[in-house]
Amino acid sequence: ENSITEVAETSLEFEQKVATMRKSVIQYESREIPEYWLIAQEQSVVMVLTLKDGSYQKASFSGSVSLFLRHS
């Protein structure tokens, strides 16, 4: 798998996904999923976890930040 993307439409749904994210991250790291994206539509927030040296590095973006995707 190249990446996993989860979308939360409401603030409550986003908070629930963040609360359970630790469990997902452990599973995704063990499966060596290179990227995990969590998008909060209502808050205009994107959280990107990128696998590096076996563990995820987190970056968060909000507001009107433009994200450019690179394809391998």
Side-chain angles (χ1 to χ4, degrees), residues 15-58:
E15 289 173 19
Q16 291 170 338
K17 286 186 181 293
V18 169
T20 60
M21 188 171 67
R22 180 181 302 270
K23 188 177 188 180
S24 299
V25 165
I26 291 168
Q27 292 174 1
Y28 299 157
E29 282 177 342
S30 69
R31 291 172 43 200
E32 297 182 352
I33 305 295
E35 290 184 337
Y36 170 47
W37 291 60
L38 181 53
I39 301 168
Q41 288 182 327
E42 199 171 78
Q43 299 99 323
S44 299
V45 172
V46 176
M47 187 181 306
V48 181
L49 289 91
T50 306
L51 193 63
K52 184 168 182 148
D53 298 326
S55 62
Y56 282 114
Q57 306 298 312
K58 181 174 99 174

Side-chain angles (χ1 to χ4, degrees), residues 37 39 45-48 60-62 64-70:
W37 291 60
I39 301 168
V45 172
V46 176
M47 187 181 306
V48 181
S60 296
F61 306 91
S62 62
S64 61
V65 173
S66 296
L67 299 176
F68 295 92
L69 307 177
R70 66 186 146 88

Side-chain angles (χ1 to χ4, degrees), residues 1 5 12 58:
E1 293 176 64
T5 304
L12 178 60
K58 181 174 99 174

